[in-house]
Amino acid sequence: MSALILGLLMFLGMHSARIFAEGWRTQVIAQRGPGAWKGLYTVVSLVGFALIVWGYGQARLAPVVLWGSPAWTRHLASLLVLVAMVLLAAAYVPRNGIKAKVHHPMVLAVKVWALAHLLANNTLADVLLFGGFLLWSVLDFRAARQRDRAAGTVYPAGTLAGSLTAVVVGCAAWAAFAFWLHLPLFGVRPFGG
């Protein structure tokens, strides 16, 4: 469990620099340049991510079950992950109305994804992993919206074609994960069995 916790602290800590340490981040970039910052950010994030994957895998070998999860929570989680995948696609598809409306669809996607997995899972490792990402995404979304207001950021209006593309790409990604990739990658079948 310690590897999971250390990985979460490294990964989410690095991803929280703009939330809690904007001045330090700006100072490092000013002193060492954006390349050095991106290098540090990448290395710490990758090491943290590797520790999260390894630590979560180890924790699943001897799970500490905290509560019983009803079967319906898996179906609700699947629906929420569909929403998360559409939001994630909206972060990358140009000129879509979803991004125009929510402004930070990737962070919102993480929030919905984490909530979905908290609902459907019931171990201490699940609470640490998904709860950590949920807490981070709530704080990051709030901080990003505050930065937008302070900077007067205006997001371009979306088009119907962009919005439909985001929905189709998100639904396709959800189907690929739900029916083909989730089991081999994570050892869990989202639907039954």
Side-chain angles (χ1 to χ4, degrees), residues 14-77:
M14 201 64 200
H15 281 76
S16 297
R18 295 207 70 191
I19 302 170
F20 300 111
E22 182 71 42
W24 171 75
R25 177 185 172 275
T26 303
Q27 182 181 3
V28 170
I29 292 171
Q31 290 175 348
R32 306 196 190 236
W37 170 256
K38 289 177 184 176
L40 174 66
Y41 191 93
T42 300
V43 169
V44 172
S45 295
L46 286 174
V47 171
F49 184 74
L51 285 169
I52 289 170
V53 170
W54 184 71
Y56 187 72
Q58 292 299 307
R60 287 177 61 189
L61 296 175
V64 178
V65 177
L66 300 176
W67 63 81
S69 294
W72 62 267
T73 60
R74 291 177 86 167
H75 301 292
L76 178 57

Side-chain angles (χ1 to χ4, degrees), residues 80-98:
L80 289 172
V81 171
L82 173 60
V83 172
M85 288 294 200
V86 170
L87 288 166
L88 184 60
Y92 295 101
V93 173
R95 299 181 325 272
N96 70 79
I98 299 166

